Amino acid sequence: MSFRHLDRFAQVRSPVTRVPAAGRVFGTVVLALATATLPAGAWVQLGLLAAVSLALLAIAHVPLRVALARLAWPLGLVLLASLALLVVMPGEPLARLGPVAVTAQGADRFAMVMGRAMVALLPAVLLVSTTSFPELLQGLRELRVPVAVATALGLAYRLLYLTVDELERLQRAARSRHAGGGVTRRRHLITAIAAATLGRAFVRAERTHAAMLARGFRGTLPLLHAPVWTYRAVLNVAAVSILVLAVAASARLP
Amino acid sequence: MAHIPDGFLSMPVIAGTATASLAALATAARRSRAALGEREGPVLGAVTAFVFAAQMLNFPLGIGASAHLLGGALVAVLLGPWAGMLVLFAVLLVQALLFQDGGIAALGANTLNVAVLGVGSAGVTYRIGRAGLGETRGATVVAAGLAAWISTAIVGLAVAAELVLSGLVPLQPALLLVGGGHVLIGIAEAVLTGLLVDFVFRTRPALLARRTPAARGDRIRVVALAGAVVATVLVAVGFASSQPDVLETALARLASPVGSGLTAAPLAEYQSPVGGLWVAGAVGVLAAFLVAWGLTIAVQRRRP
């Protein structure tokens, strides 16, 4: 198991990948925040922010079909979560679906939520496509995410593959012995596998800790490569952030 | 819908929840470092990796459905609430940034709901359970299961409250669909957490023994918090109950003669003869609290 398929465009040279990871995370948060907090009815501003995200995807050489394919799953979840809006909002009925009525107010709110969610997902897709996990971790540390969380994420990233592989090995061993026939036995089997994995994760944590101490670990993981902020990178992040904030602010002008 | 996507919350709710989460995480980072020392990184890393991996396992529920572990209560039981909050925050962060599961702008709200309130309430409930029921295997499993159910319900109520405060949905549908949905999901979470804790208790009890037992001063604090939790749930139920519930609807449709023979409830429809809804709510909270307290004392007396 690996996350390598996620950051396929991290090695592609572009103005986006030349910005250090902290700048990319910052830009993503600004774009997502600006989109998510647009007031209802701000369709023009939503369109402009979508255009900014699409332009950044093009600059980073991330093909639109890749971005759309990555949007499909999270957007499906958003769709499921927001379908209820169509019928729970009181208002003028537009159509009847059995015992419930789709209201005009509900349809309006559903469209705005879906629009905001879709556009806010675009910068997240851009970030994950152009940033490797170690880079992302470095960016989070620069943005002052608690050291414990950054260290835990870094180690979890290394241990996750091992843990999942171990989980799969235990499942394969159980399958090869035809264990877990019937719901109750299967439930007990999966619980046993999960608990065994948990025990092994703790053992591995202790071994990792001992190995890290032997290498001079004093509570924080060192950075191998310090990020290089060029004037151009600073200017690019500032320009995109100011543009995005200006678009978002224009939606609140009287 | 424990992971709120972007586009659902208003700016004040995003700002408020982000501020509250930052404050809670700062405290959690300090307390976790004090508890785990320099072992903190490896232990948190291993448990974070385990939570990710465990979420991939589907447990059969036996009715053609399956569920996966959410993990908040489990980490609270294994690591304590403060370190548990950091683990769940790490999981939420990766889910939002890498898998777009939960919004980036809504990360503060999701952290507050799942990591802070979810893990925090699980930790408090577990402490209450252990303080009241004891430290036997059965008591530990029941306390862990109860912690999982209550924390999942609280996560649901918090999500519902944020959606209502954002002006997205009215109060009653939010409480019924989101809050009620989580109360049901919480049952599966309670079973899974209970089974896992039972297995850990039997095979690696040292993992659970790392937790410090509750002191007498803690009991007063956890009892006060338990009262607040019960009050919140009951008041929320009171708000959501102006429509007939499933049983009432079924009885009305069947025109059951059994229903007509039932003795009227003393506070029917959450109405008290004096003071209406609020007095009925307060009486209900007090009664529920006294019953829970009585049960706790009874179990304590039976303990050798």
Side-chain angles (χ1 to χ4, degrees):
Chain A
M1 187 218 162
S2 128
F3 289 150
R4 293 303 304 172
H5 65 285
L6 290 175
D7 55 11
R8 271 167 47 193
F9 302 92
Q11 304 306 322
V12 177
R13 298 292 292 163
S14 74
V16 171
T17 51
R18 273 194 285 272
V19 172
R24 274 175 264 167
V25 175
F26 177 78
T28 304
V29 172
V30 168
L31 202 40
L33 265 174
T35 308
T37 54
L38 280 179
W43 294 105
V44 175
Q45 285 80 3
L46 191 65
L48 287 171
L49 292 180
V52 171
S53 294
L54 290 172
L56 289 171
L57 281 167
I59 290 169
H61 307 296
V62 179
L64 191 59
R65 62 181 166 72
V66 173
L68 291 177
R70 288 185 178 178
L71 274 180
W73 172 251
L75 213 53
L77 293 178
V78 177
L79 182 68
L80 276 179
S82 47
L83 271 177
L85 287 175
L86 289 168
V87 293
V88 299
M89 291 303 299
E92 189 189 326
L94 283 179
R96 214 150 242 299
L97 298 169
V100 290
V102 175
T103 63
Q105 286 78 353
D108 213 33
R109 202 155 287 192
F110 171 78
M112 193 64 202
V113 162
M114 284 301 293
R116 282 194 302 216
M118 190 164 89
V119 178
L121 280 168
L122 284 171
V125 168
L126 174 66
L127 176 72
V128 75
S129 303
T130 57
T131 313
S132 66
F133 194 83
E135 272 186 305
L136 185 65
L137 213 56
Q138 196 160 315
L140 292 174
R141 285 174 68 175
E142 281 177 61
L143 292 169
R144 299 285 180 270
V145 165
V147 176
V149 174
T151 311
L153 277 175
L155 291 169
Y157 176 68
R158 292 182 198 173
L159 293 176
L160 182 61
Y161 309 125
L162 300 170
T163 309
V164 171
D165 288 345
E166 209 145 70
L167 199 65
E168 284 173 354
R169 268 200 303 278
L170 286 166
Q171 283 182 301
R172 207 179 308 127
R175 268 200 307 274
S176 68
R177 289 165 180 79
H178 301 289
V183 170
T184 309
R185 285 179 65 186
R186 182 156 173 72
R187 202 181 293 146
H188 283 139
L189 175 72
I190 294 179
T191 309
I193 288 175
T197 312
L198 176 65
R200 290 182 189 191
F202 269 99
V203 170
R204 200 178 286 280
E206 280 153 14
R207 280 212 317 263
T208 309
H209 181 225
M212 287 162 76
L213 286 178
R215 290 170 177 80
F217 177 67
R218 293 289 174 270
T220 51
L221 294 176
L223 290 178
L224 288 180
H225 307 290
V228 182
W229 276 93
T230 60
Y231 284 117
R232 181 171 285 194
V234 174
L235 216 61
N236 283 344
V237 173
V240 171
S241 302
I242 289 168
L243 174 68
V244 166
L245 292 174
V247 170
S250 72
R252 295 185 181 273
L253 289 177
Chain B
M1 202 176 91
H3 293 42
I4 304 174
D6 280 341
F8 282 65
L9 301 178
S10 66
M11 196 190 280
V13 171
I14 287 175
T17 52
T19 310
S21 296
L22 278 175
L25 286 178
T27 310
R30 210 179 54 246
R31 299 286 293 265
S32 160
R33 171 49 66 100
L36 294 173
E38 60 180 24
R39 277 190 319 118
E40 185 186 42
V43 169
L44 297 191
V47 178
T48 305
F50 169 75
V51 171
F52 266 115
Q55 288 185 349
M56 294 173 173
L57 277 177
N58 279 319
F59 289 77
L61 295 178
I63 45 171
S66 64
H68 75 75
L69 188 78
L70 302 175
L74 186 69
V75 294
V77 168
L78 293 173
L79 298 177
W82 299 114
M85 281 179 199
L86 297 182
V87 167
L88 261 285
F89 173 63
V91 172
L92 287 171
L93 193 62
V94 171
Q95 285 175 333
L97 290 177
L98 290 189
F99 302 108
Q100 288 81 53
D101 188 5
I104 290 175
L107 185 62
N110 288 327
T111 303
L112 183 69
N113 302 339
V114 178
V116 178
L117 294 175
V119 177
S121 62
V124 167
T125 313
Y126 182 66
R127 281 186 90 104
I128 294 174
R130 296 262 282 181
L133 300 170
E135 303 198 350
T136 60
R137 179 176 148 209
T140 304
V141 171
V142 169
L146 207 61
W149 182 67
I150 288 182
S151 75
T152 311
I154 284 177
V155 169
L157 286 177
V159 173
E162 283 153 11
L163 295 178
V164 171
L165 287 172
S166 296
L168 190 72
V169 279
L171 179 67
Q172 285 196 359
L175 281 177
L176 287 172
L177 291 175
V178 185
H182 277 77
V183 167
L184 294 178
I185 294 168
I187 296 170
E189 179 72 0
V191 172
L192 297 182
T193 306
L195 286 171
L196 274 172
V197 169
D198 181 43
F199 201 90
V200 171
F201 198 99
R202 281 187 285 124
T203 55
R204 286 182 65 90
L207 295 183
L208 297 168
R210 289 166 197 245
R211 305 288 311 115
T212 51
R216 186 163 181 78
D218 288 333
R219 290 189 189 181
I220 297 165
R221 278 198 291 274
V222 294
V223 165
L225 276 166
V229 168
V230 174
T232 309
V233 172
L234 281 182
V235 169
V237 169
F239 269 118
S241 296
S242 63
Q243 297 296 316
D245 62 24
V246 176
L247 184 62
E248 287 167 339
T249 309
L251 280 174
R253 283 191 183 170
L254 292 169
S256 165
V258 177
S260 59
L262 292 174
T263 308
L267 299 170
E269 301 299 327
Y270 298 93
Q271 291 301 318
S272 159
V274 184
L277 173 72
W278 294 102
V279 172
V283 171
V285 169
L286 191 65
F289 191 68
L290 286 175
V291 169
W293 187 244
L295 280 173
T296 305
I297 291 171
V299 172
Q300 266 183 322
R301 279 189 184 155
R302 281 183 56 190
R303 217 174 52 199

